[in-house]
Amino acid sequence: MLRRAIITREQEPLKIINEPLPKVPVEGAIVKIEYAGICHSDLHFIENENSNYCDEEGRGISGITPGHEISGTIVDIGIKADSQFKVGDKVLVYPWAGCRQCINCLNGRSSLCENNPSGSKDVGQGKIIGGYSTHTILPNTSNYLIKKDSIPNDVAPMLPCSALTAYSAVKSLGESLKGNPDGSILLIGAGGLGQWAITFTKSIYPKSEICVVDVNKIKLDIAKNKGASHTFLWSKDANFDCQVDKIFEKSLKRGFIGSIDFTGTSETAEICLKCSKNGGTITLIGLNGGHLDISLADVISRSITLKGVRTGSLETLREVVELVKENRINDVETSFFSLDEINYALDALRRGEVRGRAIIDLTKERYN
Ligand SMILES: [Zn+2]
Ligand SMILES: [Zn+2]
């Protein structure tokens, strides 16, 4: 039996339904989900904030089971599936496998798939059942699965989303860091992604100094504990330019060779631009409706690179899995909910009342 939460109508609570487990696809697998992350982006999706969701067959969001952060065990596998996987394997699901046919998908850049209207090919955003379910049915194994090995259960669901995005962002600074290996790096936003970024920055650019900016003192204290050299508590009431000057000084007055904006407001992007060193890279991640009014001459004369990063590739997720295994990263704060508590969990997340990452624990589900 398959038990899953579905969207009925936007803005309305999800409904839990039971249905027979379908047959396993010939090249695919059925994964019994053990832990599934509830991502902030799920809230935007469920509420259909852009109101323009439409999959390739013209359907809207009703009937979709959300959730793209999944770890579990293979319980059935197709006869033509990749032979490296077998029943009983503990796996992570890569949610951004795309159409597997366009030029980006064929070149390992499926998170930038060209045939993916409204993200409907992503796990939990269309036909492929997402994490708010006892099982997911994947059409293919090699494009969707990675073995989880020794990664802790509560860390695993975060890897395909927040950790992968943070890692891709940190790696995107590489070209600028090549010429300045001990340059300063600016991270704006000390939430989940920012915290992952500190860990990855220390691992990839061990000589660099990290400065973290946030409006929340508690998050900045966590950032310090994770290895940030400097922190700056931003105040919405204080003078913008004075605060930018103080952040700039944290780079030993030389400017930041790499900056990542996990917040994505007009102000945070402007901080990055003003504090960038010549030849620096600014990577934009956060989606908070910001706009940037920039002087093109300034960007050209200072040789600044502006990049946008969306999640990352399957290959990059493999690197994340290896890095997390090697570093035994397991100090991420989590709150667990059952599948029946899904609407309660979503409301708590909406109100900002969840401590750390919200995770659905499906190990105690009765349809096992
Ligand atoms: Zn996510
Ligand atoms: Zn594609």
Side-chain angles (χ1 to χ4, degrees), residues 180 182-184 209 248-257 275-278:
N180 289 268
D182 56 354
S184 299
E209 282 203 342
F248 185 81
E249 282 170 18
K250 306 264 185 196
S251 67
L252 306 175
K253 299 184 182 172
R254 294 180 303 179
F256 295 94
I257 192 66
C275 291
S276 177
K277 191 177 173 68
N278 290 355

Side-chain angles (χ1 to χ4, degrees), residues 214-216 233-240 243 263 265 267:
D214 202 286
V215 292
N216 183 314
L233 183 63
W234 184 268
S235 164
K236 287 181 175 117
D237 302 322
N239 179 277
F240 182 88
Q243 294 189 93
T263 306
T265 64
E267 289 78 20

Side-chain angles (χ1 to χ4, degrees), residues 20 27 63 69 102 123 144 160 188 242 268 307-308 342 365:
E27 291 181 8
E69 304 179 356
C102 75
V123 173
Y144 287 93
I188 300 198
C242 289
T268 53
K307 285 186 179 175
I342 184 63
E365 277 298 313

Side-chain angles (χ1 to χ4, degrees), residues 112-126:
L112 307 175
C113 174
E114 292 174 343
N115 298 317
N116 195 5
S118 303
S120 60
K121 292 221 161 55
D122 300 337
V123 173
Q125 293 203 170

